[in-house]
Amino acid sequence: STYGGRDDEQTDRDEANKKFLSKVKQTLNKGGKVIVPAFAVGRSQEVLGLLADEMERDYFDYPVFIDGMIRDANALHSAYPEFLSEKVQKKIFEEDENPFLQDNIQTIGSHNERKEVFEEGPCIILTTSGSITGGPVLSYLEEEADDPDNALIFVGYQFAGSLGREIQNGADQITINGEEVEVNLDVNSVSGFSAHSDREQIIDFAKDLRSTPNRIFTNHGEEKKCYSLASALHKILHID
């Protein structure tokens, strides 16, 4: 029920890719940094693959910095490419190009290296945690959030109570490590990258089942979204 609310709708993936890249390029072209909080497994690799495709087509030549648990997840993806998509397998096995090991992609492994990124010019920072509940993303926001030339792009769900949700809802000031931080950077949310189905997709799935279930349990969502989706399913399928 993550996207089970009445107004929840996932953006088409192609449209999501275009919106994400448009905001990235707009920010980089005016000299800003792009901070992308992302979940370490799956979402980060999808975003990296998208950026790698743009680099391959020479659409931009800016550094991409990887920080947090994403480093470990990337290492596993690189070690077992046979489990990845056919497109990625072809790049690795036939073209000898690993999208996670592009020259422009650099991993950050220490606080000193993080400081060097602070001094960097236009760049993309892909870091954990995806909902800004901890991790290196806090350091980057503490340093970069007050600059209106920078951008923060959410590519994952920001759950209630998280700092990510607070920023997404328009907070102009947040607290990090006991310090007040001004939020002046350009905040954007791009739906469409999520692995969760939206309300209509879930309802369509339930309607297309070969036999109508006796009962459906809604979970993995905020309470009001669980109830909203349950109510819709009850009305449509006439079940508990």
Side-chain angles (χ1 to χ4, degrees), residues 145-146 166-167 169-174 180-185:
D146 65 338
E166 187 179 337
I167 296 171
N169 285 344
D172 54 14
Q173 191 174 68
I174 56 176
E180 295 298 317
V181 177
E182 298 290 331
V183 180
N184 297 321
L185 79 179

Side-chain angles (χ1 to χ4, degrees), residues 52-68:
D53 286 344
E54 291 298 290
M55 294 176 195
E56 187 178 331
R57 290 193 287 264
D58 293 327
Y59 285 164
F60 75 91
D61 188 29
Y62 294 94
V64 178
F65 296 102
I66 308 299
D67 205 344

Side-chain angles (χ1 to χ4, degrees), residues 188-219:
N188 302 265
S189 297
V190 179
S191 67
F193 287 99
S194 179
H196 299 298
S197 297
D198 64 22
R199 180 188 180 94
E200 290 305 315
Q201 291 169 331
I202 294 170
I203 291 173
D204 288 343
F205 171 79
K207 288 163 61 177
D208 290 341
L209 291 172
R210 294 178 64 181
S211 59
T212 302
N214 294 322
R215 183 168 296 177
I216 294 177
F217 296 90
T218 57
N219 68 349

Side-chain angles (χ1 to χ4, degrees), residues 7-51:
D7 299 321
D8 289 337
E9 182 179 358
Q10 287 279 33
T11 304
D12 175 78
R13 176 53 69 87
D14 288 340
E15 184 180 337
N17 289 348
K18 290 177 183 177
K19 181 178 179 180
F20 175 80
L21 291 172
S22 174
K23 178 52 62 176
V24 166
K25 293 172 184 176
Q26 177 185 331
T27 303
L28 295 173
N29 287 339
K30 66 179 181 181
K33 292 182 174 70
V34 181
I35 302 173
V36 185
F39 308 121
V41 178
R43 192 67 44 78
S44 295
Q45 289 72 41
E46 290 180 9
V47 171
L48 274 176
L50 179 61
L51 293 173

